Amino acid sequence: MQRQQRAQAVTIISPVHRLWALWLRATWPLADRLAPVKRPLLRLSFIHFAHWSLIERVPAGVAGARRLAHPYVLFQSNFDDELSAYIDAFSLVVPGRMRAMWQGVFGFPGPRPVDRFLSFILARTTPAQYYYCAYPEASSTMVEAALRLSEEHRRFAAEAAGLEDDAFAARYAEFLTRNQLLL
Amino acid sequence: MTTLAGLQGNVLDGYRTPHALYMFVSVTEARVARRWLASRIGRVTTYGSFQAARPASTFNLAFGHDGLLALGVPPIRLAHLEAFRQGMAARADALGDVGPSAPARWELGAGDSHALLVLTAAERESLADAASELRDSLPEGGLTLSHEQHAYSAPEGREHFGFQDGFSQPAVPGASAPRIGEGTLTLWRRWRRLALGEFVLGHRDEGGRVPAAPLGPLGDDATFMVVRKLAQDVGAFRSYVAEAAERLHREPAWVAAKMLGRWQNGSSLARYPQAPGPPASQDPNASRFRYGEDPHGYACPLGAHVRRANPRDSLGYQGRLTQRHRIIRRGMSYGAPLPAGISVDDGVARGLMFVAYQGAIERQFEFIQGQWLGDGNPLRLGDDRDPILAAEGSNGQMIIQGRPPVFLAGIPRFVTTCGGGYYLLPGIAGLRALADGAC
Amino acid sequence: MSRERDTPAALVVMAQLREGREQALLDELAALPSGEESPFRRVASTHFCRWLLIPALLGADGEAAEPGRAYLLLTADFDGPLADWVAAMTREMGPHLDRIFEHCDGYRGSGELGALTDFIAERRVSVGFSILSSRATVARVRSSLELRRALREFAIDSQGMTPDALRRAWSERFGA
């Protein structure tokens, strides 16, 4: 498979119950600061960035603007690769978080069975007509690995600067061993 | 729920017959072909009939999407089966069938044929007799033979690169006693069989649903069959392994094992990291292992072929992320072996007739091929692809994890796709309905 | 809810289209160069940017909730304050922005000082919850990826080297 553009844009916009919008407004500020909430989602889905918004009026930034008949939740992400590969994982492993994200969306069928959940998600996905990525050939895991590796390299280069050849070779071997999963 | 008696054989319970013939045919006259089919149904080997008595030769048949249409199946019955409808050639990009493996370069008549007829036998003569009779029946049966390929199981079950293969299959209800480790893990870290619907249509799969199937009788006791004719460049493999071994000051057997994930006798690196264990064919525990105890890949490299093809619990969560992506494999070798000691291609066609059965082509075969083998990212291996099957566009590199790690580079292409297709293997009732034009 | 403290920051803008402009907008987006030729390459602090047409907001019943109203959605992830990013966009892509946003209600062009900033501010959708896999700038991501490639290459090429050859090769490649 050719991988010129690893990141894929996923955009979902869907109407929600008003009470659900209230719930999201109330819980987002706290959830947004809790790493344990986010960790499994990051681990499972190789996200670069993902954002959730609520849209209740148009234009959104004008107080007193026209209210929409329903609030809308807007989900946007930059995943590596295809959504269907992740939905499987989300449904199997973090169904609770899927409920917490989508419960109040009209028509939400539940996180399982996964095929029905996938259909629900795909039906609400809008394609992006234009998508730019500054590092298209790199997946999010590659970016993370590269950032960590560059830190490790900096440390190693500093430590190794004054070493004799044999000592350097030994430390270099240790550097490789310690960081092989990042290469 | 059906009794599986109508399911064709070799799916749940492998025949293990040493000789086979694959015949790719096209339908030239639909009405005549349906009559031919009606006359042949009695000879089809089923799961039930094979259990009851071993015939001198087995006979099975599968149909591609266009073949079913040619036989009069209304398109609406199949329209929702996206990958099956398109056929394997149309999915080439996602499967890595590009460059020399591109469909345009496949052997004539060997791609996405209307139908695939498969004969197997314990004796070469029985196969020859059955083949001769079958071949003779085709012209008057409204069918034309477009390609055929003999195949066999080598002694000790070794494929052309020298590895024992085919012994590790998913544990499914209805299969003969599976080995421990071939199913999936429960929350209590015990092994259990996989849901039948992962491999047989009409039954619930691991997601709790019945997989998408052809509408009507074609969907009962049926399964999807993926066939790939994979040419193997044994000379290039031996030569690369020898050269890498010399450069890295290791044994060739070690390099080859690290690339594959098992020693040549089939013993797993996960269980036997330093030296081969007992041959897999003699070891009931050959598949009894988890990768969770080897998270860094020091025993079995993270990118080794078998670890990619079935990551087990490598992805965490007690293997839940792998249980919906398993396949039953019934492949056999073709072509004379390259004599031992030769490290240059001799121009003789040889390779693997890869055959996989699953309930959902996209989620099972294509997922493994595209996500785990054809890419490194889902396994956190960046751009590194499977070292055995790497296709055009691969970086040709592999890290053999260790203290310190060892790097393979310049891995050439060893395997070229030269034919194959996506087929439906109908149950007996489906075959009857097809013959009657009642689909 | 301001996300400007985040690095990278996210901007989501939803602008209502002028009536009947859907196809014209799609044509503009199709004409905008992508990949290496993308004008966003010149707005170097941009990690990701997408533009998409929302042809209709659907109601609970699956039908268009407001027939005839379509929206343009712009979402970007970028380094640094919003004001700097908008200034860079105006400088490097002003004409492109004009050709796209002119199909939106209330757009007065990027030439008039502050007009684009006001346009964006009025249509900005706040982001309530985000997941970011890293907080590095574009420049740091790119240089790290390049270094990773170089280290992999070095690791392969230096296998089997004697210690002195290794030391020399390292110095040549990475300095010191």
Side-chain angles (χ1 to χ4, degrees):
Chain A
M1 225 161 149
Q2 302 305 320
R3 304 282 181 175
Q4 311 294 3
Q5 170 67 55
R6 282 205 174 265
Q8 306 288 320
V10 175
T11 309
I12 295 172
I13 181 162
S14 204
V16 301
H17 294 274
R18 219 164 265 292
L19 281 178
W20 184 251
L22 285 174
W23 163 255
L24 292 177
R25 279 217 186 284
T27 54
W28 271 347
L30 180 62
D32 199 39
R33 285 164 166 74
L34 292 178
V37 170
K38 305 184 179 185
R39 206 174 297 126
L41 295 170
L42 267 170
R43 229 201 114 191
L44 284 172
S45 58
F46 302 52
I47 303 174
H48 289 270
F49 308 118
H51 306 294
W52 280 257
S53 301
L54 264 179
I55 304 169
E56 292 178 292
R57 57 176 189 238
V58 171
V62 175
R66 173 171 65 84
R67 279 192 93 83
L68 293 169
H70 290 286
Y72 285 78
V73 75
L74 172 65
F75 167 74
Q76 302 186 81
S77 78
N78 304 285
F79 281 137
D80 295 333
D81 207 8
E82 288 160 35
L83 188 57
S84 49
Y86 299 124
I87 295 295
D88 232 64
F90 290 150
S91 167
L92 277 171
V93 176
V94 287
R97 277 174 187 70
M98 291 302 102
R99 278 198 187 280
M101 281 164 56
W102 304 108
Q103 186 66 58
V105 174
F106 288 107
F108 177 64
R112 293 178 187 168
V114 59
D115 293 333
R116 214 172 47 183
F117 179 48
L118 178 61
S119 301
F120 164 81
I121 293 289
L122 290 177
R124 286 155 184 74
T125 304
T126 309
Q129 282 81 24
Y130 187 84
Y131 186 50
Y132 168 79
C133 173
Y135 28 88
E137 75 296 350
S139 68
S140 64
T141 45
M142 286 159 68
V143 169
E144 283 170 61
L147 291 170
R148 280 176 55 199
L149 188 59
S150 91
E151 268 311 297
E152 293 284 327
H153 169 260
R154 199 181 45 80
R155 257 199 294 276
F156 170 71
E159 277 168 18
L163 292 180
E164 295 299 320
D165 294 351
D166 284 342
F168 174 85
R171 292 291 269 277
Y172 172 72
E174 278 166 26
F175 168 76
L176 280 188
T177 302
R178 209 170 43 245
N179 297 300
Q180 58 192 295
L181 295 181
L182 302 178
L183 285 162
Chain B
M1 290 266 176
T2 55
T3 61
L4 297 178
L7 176 69
Q8 290 194 50
N10 208 27
V11 178
L12 294 184
D13 206 359
Y15 289 155
R16 293 183 231 274
T17 37
H19 305 285
L21 177 63
Y22 298 86
M23 298 168 74
F24 296 74
V25 304
S26 30
V27 174
T28 43
E29 286 183 69
R31 204 182 338 216
V32 176
R34 285 200 297 268
R35 269 207 305 276
W36 173 91
L37 178 58
S39 72
R40 293 271 144 181
I41 288 179
R43 301 175 194 235
V44 171
T45 314
T46 63
Y47 174 68
S49 71
F50 190 75
Q51 303 263 313
R54 308 266 152 137
S57 64
T58 67
F59 172 58
N60 295 100
L61 63 173
F63 299 88
H65 173 266
D66 291 352
L68 291 173
L69 292 194
L71 287 169
V73 175
I76 191 81
R77 299 267 191 252
L78 311 169
H80 56 295
L81 304 164
E82 187 65 25
F84 176 66
R85 189 178 52 77
Q86 290 183 22
M88 197 169 81
R91 315 282 282 184
D93 275 351
L95 300 178
D97 288 337
V98 296
S101 293
R105 298 169 70 163
W106 289 0
E107 291 179 32
L108 199 59
D112 283 313
S113 56
H114 282 175
L116 184 68
L117 313 181
V118 186
L119 294 168
T120 80
E123 306 293 330
R124 213 186 288 271
E125 296 73 34
S126 313
L127 184 69
D129 291 343
S132 176
E133 190 279 328
L134 185 60
R135 238 182 254 114
D136 290 346
S137 76
L138 297 180
E140 284 177 13
L143 299 167
T144 311
L145 181 65
S146 60
H147 185 76
E148 72 173 37
Q149 180 64 60
H150 276 89
Y152 60 95
S153 294
E156 297 175 9
R158 291 194 183 221
E159 51 75 53
H160 281 294
F161 291 145
F163 293 95
Q164 210 171 73
D165 190 20
F167 55 86
S168 178
Q169 300 291 347
V172 194
S176 56
R179 301 190 212 211
I180 296 180
E182 291 177 345
T184 189
L185 283 161
T186 63
L187 283 173
W188 287 270
R189 300 171 68 75
R190 298 174 70 93
W191 295 98
R192 65 163 172 84
R193 297 190 196 222
L194 288 155
L196 188 55
E198 291 294 310
F199 307 102
V200 182
L201 301 177
H203 299 263
R204 286 192 201 281
D205 62 22
E206 286 287 329
R209 284 198 134 186
V210 172
L215 304 177
L218 277 177
D220 293 334
D221 274 344
T223 189
F224 289 109
M225 180 182 188
V226 172
V227 175
R228 290 168 70 71
K229 186 167 178 183
L230 301 174
Q232 292 175 259
D233 189 342
V234 181
F237 181 76
R238 286 180 188 166
S239 152
Y240 178 80
V241 166
E243 178 267 327
E246 191 176 317
R247 200 168 18 90
L248 301 170
H249 309 295
R250 304 281 183 152
E251 290 300 312
W254 181 91
V255 174
K258 287 291 187 179
M259 290 168 75
L260 190 86
R262 288 184 184 266
W263 298 95
Q264 294 224 312
N265 70 358
S267 52
S268 161
L269 280 179
R271 284 172 64 83
Y272 303 100
Q274 310 298 340
S281 52
Q282 293 156 25
D283 180 8
N285 289 317
S287 290
R288 188 180 194 161
F289 61 89
R290 298 188 200 104
Y291 293 117
E293 287 130 28
D294 179 32
H296 293 104
Y298 293 152
C300 179
L302 304 179
H305 178 76
V306 303
R307 190 164 181 159
R308 284 173 179 267
N310 179 14
R312 297 172 179 249
D313 59 333
S314 271
L315 306 178
Y317 308 106
Q318 295 94 39
R320 267 178 284 165
L321 295 180
T322 57
Q323 66 194 190
R324 288 192 11 120
H325 309 294
R326 303 286 301 278
I327 52 176
I328 289 173
R329 294 170 304 125
R330 300 284 183 225
M332 296 170 78
S333 296
Y334 71 89
L338 187 69
I342 311 278
S343 297
V344 184
D345 186 44
D346 59 358
V348 170
R350 61 176 63 84
L352 179 71
M353 283 301 291
F354 171 88
V355 173
Y357 296 111
Q358 60 269 291
I361 294 175
E362 293 93 327
R363 178 166 52 75
Q364 292 167 266
F365 165 71
E366 287 193 342
F367 191 95
I368 297 171
Q369 179 78 10
Q371 297 282 318
W372 290 340
L373 298 174
D375 189 15
N377 194 48
L379 304 167
R380 298 170 196 273
L381 298 172
D383 284 328
D384 296 348
R385 301 193 199 175
D386 185 80
I388 307 288
L389 288 182
E392 297 306 283
S394 159
N395 67 7
Q397 294 172 4
M398 175 183 176
I399 302 183
I400 298 175
Q401 285 85 20
R403 302 181 186 92
V406 165
F407 298 84
L408 296 181
I411 304 174
R413 182 173 38 81
F414 302 124
V415 176
T416 307
T417 312
C418 54
Y422 288 163
Y423 299 95
L424 177 77
L425 191 80
I428 292 297
L431 290 173
R432 274 204 195 97
L434 194 57
D436 293 344
C439 285
Chain C
M1 222 173 301
S2 170
R3 307 288 303 184
E4 291 195 39
R5 67 180 181 280
D6 274 346
T7 299
L11 171 71
V12 180
V13 175
M14 186 164 133
Q16 186 167 326
L17 289 189
R18 299 190 212 266
E19 203 172 313
R21 297 293 191 101
E22 289 90 319
Q23 190 53 54
L25 172 69
L26 289 176
D27 292 343
E28 267 327 314
L29 293 178
L32 188 62
S34 60
E36 284 296 318
E37 311 299 316
S38 170
F40 281 102
R41 285 245 164 239
R42 300 193 293 274
V43 186
S45 58
T46 312
H47 289 261
F48 294 94
C49 187
R50 75 183 67 176
W51 256 307
L52 58 91
L53 169 70
I54 301 173
L57 287 176
L58 299 183
D61 57 358
E63 301 297 321
E66 345 162 279
R69 286 209 177 107
Y71 298 89
L72 170 67
L73 187 73
L74 161 71
T75 301
D77 296 278
F78 53 90
D79 300 320
L82 175 61
D84 291 358
W85 188 74
V86 173
M89 286 271 280
T90 309
R91 198 174 55 240
E92 305 294 343
M93 296 180 52
H96 290 292
L97 294 179
D98 288 340
R99 279 199 290 278
I100 291 168
F101 282 136
E102 70 166 1
H103 300 295
C104 301
D105 257 350
Y107 187 66
R108 299 197 316 272
S110 60
E112 203 183 305
L113 192 67
L116 182 59
T117 305
D118 290 344
F119 178 80
I120 286 174
E122 285 169 5
R123 288 153 187 78
R124 187 173 184 185
V125 176
S126 64
V127 173
F129 180 81
S130 286
I131 293 181
L132 281 69
S133 63
S134 88
R135 298 187 176 275
T137 61
V138 175
R140 220 184 115 223
V141 169
R142 283 225 185 94
S143 65
S144 300
L145 288 169
E146 185 46 52
L147 176 63
R148 180 172 175 265
R149 266 191 288 275
L151 280 168
R152 164 77 79 104
E153 215 174 88
F154 182 83
I156 291 170
D157 293 343
S158 65
Q159 284 186 122
M161 274 187 186
T162 58
D164 59 300
L166 177 70
R167 195 68 173 88
R168 255 195 324 275
W170 177 270
S171 300
E172 264 168 40
R173 187 63 190 79
F174 299 107

